[in-house]
């Protein structure tokens, strides 16, 4: 009877051990699945990071190009302003010379009005 009771205890312990092992196996399976999900999320995040880095590089290149284009436009505009300023000074000089050599006329007055 004692050995039957002892055998029954061993069986009960075996049932508990099997249930504990099954629970541990289920937890391990869930942990492995979660690990796979986390790995997939990490891969997606790294891929997104790489795409963002590429976009940042492209934007930097565009900024450099836009800055160079703006500087060139400013340079050309300044050159044109200087040319126009020189032409204006030349016309003012011509007008001044006309004033001193001729009496005021309708043409001279119209030229003065145009310069204003």
């Amino acid at each position: 009877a004692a050995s039957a009771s002892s055998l029954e205890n061993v069986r009960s312990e075996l049932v508990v051990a099997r249930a504990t092992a099954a629970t541990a196996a289920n937890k391990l399976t869930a942990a492995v699945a979660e690990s796979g999900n986390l790995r997939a999320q990490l891969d997606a995040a790294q891929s997104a990071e790489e795409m963002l880095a590429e976009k940042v590089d492209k934007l930097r290149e565009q900024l450099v190009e836009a800055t160079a284009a703006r500087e060139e436009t400013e340079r050309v505009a300044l050159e044109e302003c200087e040319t126009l300023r020189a032409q204006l000074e030349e016309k003012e000089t011509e007008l001044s010379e006309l004033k001193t050599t001729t009496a005021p006329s309708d043409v001279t007055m119209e030229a003065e009005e145009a310069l204003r």
Side-chain angles (χ1 to χ4, degrees):
S3 74
S5 174
S6 178
L7 184 58
E8 195 58 38
N9 285 340
V10 169
R11 284 185 184 156
S12 291
E13 289 175 11
L14 183 58
V15 168
V16 170
R18 284 183 181 156
T20 301
T23 300
N26 288 339
K27 286 181 180 180
L28 179 60
T29 300
V32 167
E34 180 65 17
S35 173
N37 289 338
L38 290 174
R39 184 67 185 155
Q41 290 175 5
L42 177 62
D43 290 344
Q46 287 173 335
S47 179
E49 182 182 23
E50 289 171 7
M51 287 186 345
L52 285 174
E54 288 174 12
K55 286 182 180 181
V56 166
D57 289 343
K58 286 180 183 176
L59 287 172
R60 282 189 181 130
E61 288 175 17
Q62 290 174 353
L63 178 60
V64 167
E65 291 170 4
T67 300
R70 186 199 75 224
E71 289 171 355
E72 178 63 14
T73 300
E74 288 174 355
R75 185 191 64 74
V76 169
L78 284 173
E79 284 179 3
E80 288 187 24
C81 284
E82 288 300 320
T83 300
L84 291 172
R85 184 175 293 128
Q87 290 174 356
L88 178 60
E89 288 174 2
E90 194 176 299
K91 295 296 180 188
E92 287 174 340
T93 301
E94 288 175 15
L95 181 60
S96 178
E97 290 171 359
L98 281 174
K99 281 184 185 179
T100 58
T101 59
T102 63
S105 67
D106 290 341
V107 174
T108 305
M109 288 187 215
E110 286 177 19
E112 285 179 346
E113 286 296 318
L115 285 174
R116 290 185 192 143

